[in-house]
Amino acid sequence: MNTQLLPAPQLSTNQLVNIAQQFGTPLYVYNADRIEYQYSVLKNAFQTTDAHFFYACKALTNINILKYIRSLGAGLDCVSINEVQLGLLAGFKPEQILFTPNCTDFNEFEAAAALGVNINIDNLPILEQFGKTYGSSYPVLIRLNPNILAGGNIKISTGYGASKFGISLEQIPDILNILHTTQLKVKGLHIHTGSEIKDPQVFLQGLDILFKLVDEFPDLELIDLGSGFKVPFKKDENGTDMEQLGLMVGEAFKQFEEQSGKKLKVWFEPGKFLVSECGYFLVKANVVKHTPAKVFVGVNSGFNHLIRPMFYDAFHYIENISNPQGALTEYSIVGNICETDTFANDRMLNEVREGDVLVFHNAGAYGFEMSSNFNARLKPAEVLVMKETKHLIRKSDTFNDLLRNQIEIESI
């Protein structure tokens, strides 16, 4: 297996400083070369299996990111019909798109079927309604809940028994009854146990569960293991060992094929794995505030732009790129929102001065995508760096954007 890859590409401090000077802050910056590198890691790791990768675009849906990932050869995983339409607009073919919604009205499934994309169903009522509507004419995937607790945070664990996601294994008889009465065909079984999964055994545990169910579904073509691959956020942290996972999954499929005589594809939906490390979030230090308790660095952003530290207690490595040789000093990095929006407590940074630019690493996934206009603050711009060429791929909001869809009552 060819696993020899060049070192992961990074944008340099000088590049980031220049980008901040050119486009201003706050600003999201994405490195296309890093996305390509991450995709190469996946392709190399799963060479021994018939593996297909669908980018989970909920992580970052800018149309240029979608087009670039399509150019690499990936498919697209969508959780709303609007994401499906974005994917088609970006040039993905319907067969390259997987629609995996949750708690969605049936009209979105009808719209997805009209577009011809792959459909993944995760609850019995919709499964029955879809079967009665389409019968055997539109084979689907079924998302199961394997009752596996995994992931870096309970908020991103989706495969345990009390989760809202997937159909319980205990309800397999109900699934089979629906298939019998409606003639609906199932071409794939899907699980997704959560995000930030470091232990490859979690995927093997889920795979073993699905292999035992294959005989119940005679039209089965594929097994979908979702994703949740761990990416490192700290300097001394490791991510999922993709080479090891690829070998283990490849061996499991080989043994299954030898024992059953059935050859199945394997699908994955990496989101954070592809775009997290490509992203940099640049902010400016508005104020350095000394108090008897600690020293705060207040920046020109808040959880309206990057909510992960507040929502998930997520760690982002932060650097002062304006003064990289400054003396190390302890700061708490906070935002300008009228809430307790703390990005980092008691973090050692090179001395921060008002006007310095700080960079948050690993900001490509669920950064801009989860941003808002809370406090009537404006959403930031986005820049994509491709082969050292900088492209503005989203303008920052203007004041008029805050009013764009509001309708004033003239009598007030």
Side-chain angles (χ1 to χ4, degrees):
M1 179 184 298
N2 176 23
T3 58
Q4 298 301 311
L5 294 171
L6 295 173
Q10 305 279 356
L11 296 182
S12 70
T13 296
N14 287 338
Q15 284 178 296
L16 293 171
V17 169
N18 291 336
I19 290 171
Q21 291 172 344
Q22 180 176 351
F23 297 97
T25 62
L27 179 71
Y28 275 99
V29 181
Y30 311 118
N31 181 8
D33 289 345
R34 186 55 184 261
I35 299 174
E36 182 179 17
Y37 174 87
Q38 295 296 116
Y39 189 68
S40 297
V41 170
L42 290 176
K43 296 290 288 184
N44 277 317
F46 293 94
Q47 289 185 59
T48 63
T49 56
D50 187 4
H52 301 260
F53 305 100
F54 297 74
Y55 166 57
C57 67
K58 62 185 178 183
L60 180 60
T61 58
N62 186 288
I63 192 70
N64 298 282
I65 298 295
L66 301 186
K67 290 169 66 176
Y68 183 75
I69 290 177
R70 177 188 56 78
S71 76
L72 298 178
L76 198 69
D77 175 52
C78 303
V79 296
S80 73
I81 197 64
N82 291 330
E83 286 186 352
V84 170
Q85 291 169 333
L86 282 172
L88 293 170
L89 185 63
F92 289 92
K93 297 177 181 178
E95 61 269 23
Q96 294 176 303
I97 296 175
L98 175 61
F99 180 50
T100 306
N102 176 259
C103 297
T104 299
D105 190 273
F106 189 68
N107 61 15
E108 286 201 23
F109 288 91
E110 292 178 306
L115 294 171
V117 302
N118 297 287
I119 293 177
N120 194 7
I121 299 176
D122 88 328
N123 65 82
L124 292 174
I126 292 293
L127 186 69
E128 184 171 22
Q129 193 171 358
F130 196 94
K132 289 180 177 178
T133 303
Y134 296 96
S136 62
S137 68
Y138 206 116
V140 298
L141 288 80
I142 292 180
R143 179 173 183 172
L144 299 173
N145 184 317
N147 197 18
I148 298 173
L149 180 60
N153 186 302
I154 192 64
K155 294 180 181 179
I156 52 176
S157 295
T158 57
Y160 65 102
S163 168
K164 70 169 184 171
F165 296 97
I167 303 174
S168 170
L169 297 176
E170 297 176 4
Q171 295 175 304
I172 294 294
D174 298 306
I175 294 174
L176 297 177
N177 182 58
I178 290 172
L179 302 186
H180 175 72
T181 57
T182 66
Q183 304 305 306
L184 180 64
K185 296 183 182 299
V186 174
K187 66 178 181 180
L189 296 179
H190 170 279
I191 58 172
H192 176 63
T193 54
S195 185
E196 297 287 297
I197 298 171
K198 187 175 179 180
D199 183 4
Q201 287 296 337
V202 171
F203 295 94
L204 271 294
Q205 184 182 352
L207 189 55
D208 184 60
I209 290 171
L210 296 182
F211 279 154
K212 292 177 180 177
L213 295 173
V214 168
D215 288 342
E216 302 286 356
F217 300 92
D219 301 301
L220 208 65
E221 301 172 7
L222 64 100
I223 281 179
D224 190 325
L225 295 178
S227 181
F229 307 137
K230 168 70 177 169
V231 297
F233 280 80
K234 299 179 180 179
K235 289 291 186 180
D236 57 350
E237 189 175 41
N238 294 319
T240 306
D241 187 331
M242 299 308 299
E243 183 177 357
Q244 180 189 16
L245 178 60
L247 289 171
M248 294 169 69
V249 168
E251 182 60 28
F253 269 87
K254 179 181 177 183
Q255 291 181 7
F256 173 78
E257 183 179 352
E258 291 174 350
Q259 294 170 3
S260 68
K262 297 179 180 179
K263 186 174 180 60
L264 299 174
K265 303 172 187 175
V266 60
W267 286 8
F268 293 97
E269 290 93 43
K272 186 184 296 181
F273 183 83
L274 287 180
V275 299
S276 178
E277 293 170 281
C278 87
Y280 305 82
F281 184 47
L282 305 179
V283 300
K284 177 174 69 71
N286 284 337
V287 62
V288 180
K289 180 178 179 179
H290 293 260
T291 76
K294 58 177 63 183
V295 182
F296 294 96
V297 174
V299 303
N300 63 342
S301 182
F303 70 65
N304 58 317
H305 294 158
L306 180 63
I307 199 172
R308 295 186 72 255
M310 302 79 178
F311 196 42
Y312 298 121
D313 296 320
F315 177 96
H316 285 266
Y317 180 60
I318 304 172
E319 285 185 291
N320 180 0
I321 58 175
S322 294
N323 189 26
Q325 303 304 319
L328 288 175
T329 307
E330 186 175 271
Y331 301 101
S332 288
I333 315 302
V334 297
N336 59 359
I337 293 298
C338 190
E339 296 281 348
T340 303
D341 60 341
T342 301
F343 289 112
N345 268 313
D346 306 326
R347 192 74 67 85
M348 299 300 293
L349 296 178
N350 298 105
E351 181 188 7
V352 180
R353 306 153 305 183
E354 292 177 4
D356 281 355
V357 176
L358 308 184
V359 58
F360 291 72
H361 291 264
N362 273 61
Y366 307 105
F368 184 93
E369 201 63 25
M370 297 179 76
S371 65
S372 74
N373 291 119
F374 186 52
N375 281 189
R377 296 288 181 181
L378 306 179
K379 289 187 179 183
E382 295 175 288
V383 168
L384 178 63
V385 181
M386 299 180 65
K387 305 302 181 186
E388 300 190 3
T389 300
K390 301 180 288 290
H391 302 270
L392 181 66
I393 59 173
R394 184 192 297 270
K395 297 184 294 184
S396 60
D397 279 358
T398 66
F399 180 76
N400 287 336
D401 290 318
L402 299 177
L403 298 168
R404 184 174 52 210
N405 292 319
Q406 297 187 35
I407 302 173
E408 289 192 70
I409 302 174
E410 294 181 2
S411 61
I412 295 178

